[in-house]
Amino acid sequence: MITIRHLKIFLTVAETRNMSEAAARLYVSQPTVSQTIGELEKMYKARLFERYPKELFLTEAGRTLRAQALLAVEAFDRLDEVMKGEGERPSLRIGATLTVGSTVLCPILDELRSVRPNVDLSVQVDNTRTIESKLLQNELDAAIVEGIIHREEILSSPIISDCLILVCSPDHPFAARKSVEPEELAAQPFVLREQGSGTRALFESFMARRRLPLNISWECSSTAAIKQAVMRGYGLAVLSARLVSGELSRGELKRVNVEGCAWQRSFLLCYHRNKVISDTLRRFLDIAASYSSYGAPCPMEGQL
């Protein structure tokens, strides 16, 4: 029967990639570590490590066990802390994609802190692909993302409506037009987010469905840099309407309507299906879900 001790030894071996080093770190003998790994492989009828002369590498089965073991050990350690009275300052690790982090995340966290003022918060803002990976590896407790979650281990639900709009500089030929045809976008240079971004993935899918070539002249992980590049005429950009409301109102950017197109989407609230839901995490999830009507997803004039 598998025990927490089995899992902790396995995780240490996975981290060090060496049984002798794992044994030294755990203050046990090297044969004990070897025996434990052997017992796990026998129980699961799968090889967990590829054994090279000086280093071990996780197999596919080993990577699967590692992801689950991290969750199990975290749950056990949290239970141990609570029972010992050491959980007085709860911690929460929240992830967000760039658009979410720049627009709706802080109001949600502000409300959380108002009801959990002693929470120890850590936040990571990155693209959807990276945030999904960190949820899988139990490096985040929950996240709000703008892109599509592909792994079935991650539970996701739409909470906040959003839309993307096409923007250009005031001097661009499109700025004076009421609308453009989708085919006209094929000849234009674009300033887009990096690979792994949900915003970029949605627009790439739009262009691919219409078999239109996409000319990416700039690729950038900073939305502020993208807006600056567009304002100076280096290309068009597709961004959340929430991100450019100020620039649109000041006339620094112009919205371009695209005939027959509506790039609607939702921000997704995500967490691992095997995640232990603490009281603090539950409160965060409830607060985030209550923001379903937060802000207007699109400017009022015109529809994409």
Side-chain angles (χ1 to χ4, degrees):
M1 179 178 177
I2 192 170
T3 65
I4 289 295
R5 180 174 179 273
H6 280 95
L7 296 181
K8 288 187 173 181
I9 290 176
F10 164 75
L11 288 173
T12 305
V13 175
E15 181 181 352
T16 61
R17 296 184 180 180
N18 184 285
M19 291 194 188
S20 296
E21 186 176 338
R25 183 177 298 187
L26 295 168
Y27 300 102
V28 298
S29 67
Q30 194 272 335
T32 298
V33 173
S34 297
Q35 180 181 345
T36 301
I37 299 301
E39 289 171 356
L40 284 170
E41 291 183 327
K42 184 176 180 181
M43 276 189 281
Y44 293 124
K45 298 181 175 61
R47 181 177 290 274
L48 301 175
F49 294 96
E50 294 290 350
R51 292 160 170 80
Y52 285 47
K54 294 184 179 180
E55 197 169 8
L56 303 175
F57 293 91
L58 285 170
T59 62
E60 186 63 33
R63 286 190 289 272
T64 299
L65 179 59
R66 180 181 181 274
Q68 299 301 318
L70 285 168
L71 292 167
V73 169
E74 182 207 23
F76 180 85
D77 289 344
R78 180 170 294 173
L79 172 63
D80 195 44
E81 287 180 3
V82 170
M83 295 305 294
K84 290 178 179 178
E86 297 176 0
E88 296 178 0
R89 182 170 175 80
S91 63
L92 199 59
R93 304 165 300 171
I94 299 301
T97 46
L98 269 70
T99 300
V100 173
S102 300
T103 56
V104 304
L105 182 62
C106 282
I108 292 173
L109 295 182
D110 287 347
E111 186 171 341
L112 175 67
R113 287 200 305 180
S114 72
V115 296
R116 291 285 193 275
N118 65 331
V119 64
D120 185 9
L121 269 176
S122 64
V123 178
Q124 178 155 357
V125 177
D126 213 312
N127 61 46
T128 301
R129 183 186 299 171
T130 299
I131 295 298
E132 181 178 22
S133 174
K134 290 185 177 298
L135 287 169
L136 286 168
Q137 297 300 324
N138 194 37
E139 295 175 16
L140 293 171
D141 297 313
I144 304 175
V145 304
E146 65 211 65
I148 297 172
I149 294 294
H150 297 281
R151 294 292 292 267
E152 62 181 16
E153 299 98 317
I154 305 299
L155 300 178
S156 62
S157 57
I159 58 168
I160 299 172
S161 296
D162 187 51
C163 80
L164 302 180
I165 61 173
L166 180 67
V167 292
C168 68
S169 74
D171 299 325
H172 193 282
F174 284 177
R177 294 177 55 180
K178 184 177 180 180
S179 64
V180 299
E181 295 294 331
E183 291 72 21
E184 294 180 81
L185 303 182
Q188 297 295 323
F190 276 86
V191 184
L192 293 184
R193 287 277 309 281
E194 78 287 359
Q195 287 285 355
S197 157
T199 297
R200 173 168 170 166
L202 190 152
F203 184 60
E204 284 183 331
S205 176
F206 164 80
M207 295 291 280
R209 287 196 306 272
R210 286 159 179 76
R211 297 181 180 179
L212 299 174
L214 180 56
N215 175 18
I216 302 174
S217 61
W218 279 47
E219 184 176 287
C220 186
S221 60
S222 166
T223 53
I226 290 173
K227 289 189 286 186
Q228 287 294 318
V230 175
M231 283 189 279
R232 284 163 171 73
Y234 287 100
L236 304 175
V238 174
L239 294 168
S240 168
R242 298 174 187 274
L243 284 173
V244 293
S245 58
E247 289 81 4
L248 291 174
S249 65
R250 294 189 296 271
E252 297 168 342
L253 289 173
K254 294 293 183 179
R255 178 181 178 181
V256 182
N257 287 321
V258 182
E259 284 293 334
C261 301
W263 297 316
Q264 301 287 340
R265 65 179 181 180
S266 293
F267 296 154
L268 303 177
L269 179 61
C270 311
Y271 59 94
H272 198 289
R273 66 168 60 250
N274 295 328
K275 186 70 183 174
V276 176
I277 308 297
S278 66
D279 289 343
T280 302
L281 177 55
R282 172 53 61 193
R283 182 55 66 95
F284 169 79
L285 296 175
D286 290 344
I287 290 172
S290 73
Y291 273 69
S292 58
S293 59
Y294 181 78
C298 283
M300 296 301 294
E301 70 272 9
Q303 292 295 319
L304 284 176

